[in-house]
Amino acid sequence: MLNLLQQCSGAKTIGITGHVRPDGDCVGSCMALYLYLKKVMPDAEVLVYLEESAKAHYQIESVKEIDYNFTSKPHYDVFFCLDSAPERTGQGQALYERAAKKINIDHHITNPGCGDVNVIQPEIGSTAELIYNLIPEEDLDNDIAKALYIGIIHDTGVFQFSNTLPSTMIAGSKLIQYDIDFANLIQESFYEKTYKQTRIMAEAVLKSERYLDGKCLLSYFTREEMTKLQADSPDFTGIINRLKTVRGVECAVFMYEIEPGNYKVSLRTSDRVDATKVTTVFGGGGHVKAAGCNIQGTPEQVITKLTEEIAKQV
Ligand code: AMP
Ligand code: MN
Ligand code: MN
């Protein structure tokens, strides 16, 4: 088991980053590690770098201390890359590469480990659970527990997906012993949507189309549609999971035109389809049942490329 304190011993500056368009696991695990290191290394300068993310994660008080603009750029003694390989951390990558010691902690099966020190455990459902395992119990507190809990519920679909292990439930049972109002946390950060998000989700469901005898359900937004809906990435959270709940669907796909002619693609699959086998063809990655990639082209071209790959498995 990695000893975080030992790894950071003597460090005066410690940076932490995670993937672009950070999700609950990314924000939760970065903030938990941040809070822990600040607590046990009060003399070190610790800073988290992330892109701005959905409001739901702002239930973690300390997110206001995140450097969203990547303004501060010292040479770090230790730099952590969480929930991702460094290539997918946007502006965080340069800071990571320049650091004296790089530590990569992740649970993506497609991440080979890109640090001087690597903790890559694809069998663990969330990076937050991994961080939970690395923080000594006596150092946990309400704020750290909340950040970890948010991370775990986001990546396990509130202890529902098959990446939920007995160890995940044990971690959850420990964390709800802290003062974290977990029922509200789940409601507000996982289920609750704004009116606008709800309408966008409805639109995505309405315009979804079936491929491969209904085994693949796909929906997408072009830039033009996004402008009309005034929608952007944070407005799309939950759409892919909703598409996956449709009976008979073995592979749900949601995609949006992140920049002209470039589609950000999300996949959620059942037991029979390995999502990473599809996304790695296009230079992406992820987990067996939840993965992503970017594909260039018109919607029709992207759909053809994708369904050809998915067809190999259904
Ligand atoms: P998403 O559909 O974007 O929510 O991603 C599903 C899972 O795959 C998440 O765990 C992501 O971190 C991961 N993922 C998405 N896109 C990529 C990518 N281009 N490379 C590696 N992992 C990805
Ligand atoms: Mn993530
Ligand atoms: Mn994760």
Side-chain angles (χ1 to χ4, degrees):
M1 178 88 70
L2 186 79
N3 185 320
L4 289 171
L5 211 47
Q6 235 167 43
Q7 292 295 336
C8 296
S9 153
K12 292 200 171 57
T13 52
I14 303 173
I16 302 169
T17 196
H19 57 78
V20 290
R21 297 179 297 282
D23 52 24
D25 184 32
C26 184
V27 178
S29 48
C30 286
M31 296 323 291
L33 178 63
Y34 167 76
L35 291 167
Y36 166 67
L37 291 175
K38 278 216 319 179
K39 183 175 181 166
V40 296
M41 299 186 65
D43 296 329
E45 205 178 292
V46 190
L47 192 58
V48 176
Y49 296 86
L50 285 175
E51 288 181 0
E52 281 216 61
S53 63
K55 287 261 183 326
H57 310 145
Y58 288 17
Q59 288 159 305
I60 305 171
E61 182 78 20
S62 51
V63 293
K64 57 178 189 281
E65 291 156 36
I66 294 175
D67 185 344
Y68 287 118
N69 301 311
F70 296 78
T71 37
S72 166
K73 291 190 168 58
H75 231 96
Y76 279 97
D77 295 328
V78 179
F79 206 92
F80 287 89
C81 174
L82 303 188
D83 199 36
S84 177
E87 303 92 83
R88 209 159 67 88
T89 61
Q91 296 187 65
Q93 186 175 5
L95 292 164
Y96 181 81
E97 301 301 347
R98 282 199 293 143
K101 183 182 203 174
K102 312 180 226 320
I103 303 182
N104 193 187
I105 302 178
D106 189 15
H107 67 130
H108 287 93
I109 196 163
T110 47
N111 182 356
C114 308
D116 304 310
V117 178
N118 298 295
V119 180
I120 311 293
Q121 290 186 264
E123 69 282 8
I124 303 291
S126 59
T127 301
E129 186 178 335
L130 258 165
I131 297 290
Y132 168 83
N133 292 335
L134 300 178
I135 297 181
E137 202 175 328
E138 65 268 24
D139 292 318
L140 288 176
D141 57 34
N142 290 339
D143 290 340
I144 298 176
K146 195 190 222 184
L148 290 172
Y149 198 79
I150 286 183
I152 292 174
I153 61 171
H154 273 259
D155 265 24
T156 60
V158 193
F159 304 98
Q160 185 210 331
F161 303 150
S162 57
N163 58 6
T164 306
L165 303 175
S167 61
T168 320
M169 303 306 266
I170 292 169
S173 84
K174 285 260 160 59
L175 295 173
I176 62 169
Q177 292 174 40
Y178 290 86
D179 184 16
I180 63 170
D181 194 0
F182 61 89
N184 250 327
L185 218 56
I186 292 171
Q187 180 58 25
E188 286 177 16
S189 86
F190 194 80
Y191 291 110
E192 195 176 281
K193 302 270 173 266
T194 61
Y195 179 62
K196 180 178 159 193
Q197 284 172 325
T198 307
R199 290 183 65 98
I200 291 169
M201 167 137 14
E203 184 71 25
V205 172
L206 262 180
K207 73 190 292 276
S208 66
E209 288 192 13
R210 291 184 287 183
Y211 296 85
L212 308 174
D213 293 329
K215 291 185 183 126
C216 173
L217 184 64
L218 182 147
S219 189
Y220 68 89
F221 290 126
T222 60
R223 283 214 75 75
E224 203 181 324
E225 290 166 320
M226 287 166 65
T227 308
K228 216 185 273 171
L229 292 163
Q230 295 191 358
D232 210 346
S233 158
D235 299 314
F236 302 145
T237 43
I239 291 177
I240 184 66
N241 290 338
R242 185 70 192 81
L243 296 175
K244 180 63 187 62
T245 60
V246 175
R247 188 169 295 156
V249 170
E250 292 184 7
C251 182
V253 182
F254 175 71
M255 50 193 227
Y256 65 94
E257 198 176 3
I258 193 161
E259 46 192 49
N262 180 2
Y263 280 83
K264 157 80 187 89
V265 179
S266 284
L267 257 69
R268 298 294 181 270
T269 59
S270 63
D271 285 336
R272 261 186 267 178
V273 181
D274 181 342
T276 64
K277 280 196 183 155
V278 178
T279 57
T280 50
V281 170
F282 305 105
H287 311 287
V288 175
K289 292 185 180 175
C293 60
N294 282 64
I295 304 180
Q296 317 272 342
T298 64
E300 295 70 28
Q301 288 167 335
V302 175
I303 292 168
T304 304
K305 286 184 202 172
L306 265 172
T307 49
E308 269 173 19
E309 286 307 317
I310 297 164
K312 293 177 184 167
Q313 293 188 66
V314 299

